[in-house]
Amino acid sequence: MDTAITTSAEGEPGAAQRGSTTISDRTVERIAARVLTEVENIGGAAGRLLGIAVPGEHAEDSARVAAKVSGDSVAALDVRLSVAYPKSVAHTTEDARARLVRRVADLTGLTVTRVDITVTALRAPDSPTRRVR
């Protein structure tokens, strides 16, 4: 029995022989949420009830991300987050968008074609916790 293996110029098996890698939407969502923790002045998405922000959002919570992977190499992201007051919402979201496009591409090999960002709340600046002496 003879078996033929296609090799590339470097002597490795060809792409058809190696198989394919599929990255799920959920995996991209988790990676993108982790990438957002690298961006300053961003916190978790505030919960909403009848369109009103509900208390309980914490800065250490991660932003909410929904991802849609199309084909083998394209992803679109829908992000919900909060921004620290009084930072510029425009600058902060542009920083987040640029970081998401670059880091998700680096980590997954996918091209991020669209990042929709919804700012759900402006959160108070982090203040040190007071302790009783």
Side-chain angles (χ1 to χ4, degrees):
M1 177 161 87
D2 294 317
T3 304
I5 297 177
T6 307
T7 58
S8 63
E10 294 83 31
E12 296 178 12
Q17 295 291 323
R18 291 190 307 255
S20 65
T21 302
T22 304
I23 300 174
S24 70
D25 295 349
R26 180 71 180 133
T27 302
V28 175
E29 290 169 1
R30 294 188 67 157
I31 289 170
R34 178 65 70 149
V35 167
L36 286 171
T37 63
E38 300 171 359
V39 182
E40 291 186 42
N41 305 315
I42 288 182
R48 296 191 103 37
L49 179 64
L50 300 175
I52 301 169
V54 178
E57 177 270 325
H58 301 287
E60 62 273 1
D61 290 346
S62 61
R64 295 187 185 132
V65 179
K68 179 64 179 158
V69 178
S70 303
D72 293 336
S73 62
V74 177
L77 304 175
D78 184 23
V79 180
R80 298 176 60 81
L81 51 80
S82 63
V83 175
Y85 181 82
K87 300 299 180 183
S88 167
V89 172
H91 288 127
T92 304
T93 55
E94 283 306 314
D95 289 346
R97 183 174 285 112
R99 177 76 59 104
L100 282 167
V101 169
R102 187 178 66 251
R103 294 285 289 148
V104 170
D106 289 347
L107 294 170
T108 64
L110 297 172
T111 301
V112 179
T113 57
R114 192 182 86 228
V115 179
D116 294 330
I117 298 177
T118 302
V119 177
T120 60
L122 295 177
R123 61 180 170 82
D126 299 330
S127 58
T129 319
R130 293 180 58 175
R131 293 187 175 188
V132 177
R133 293 186 197 194

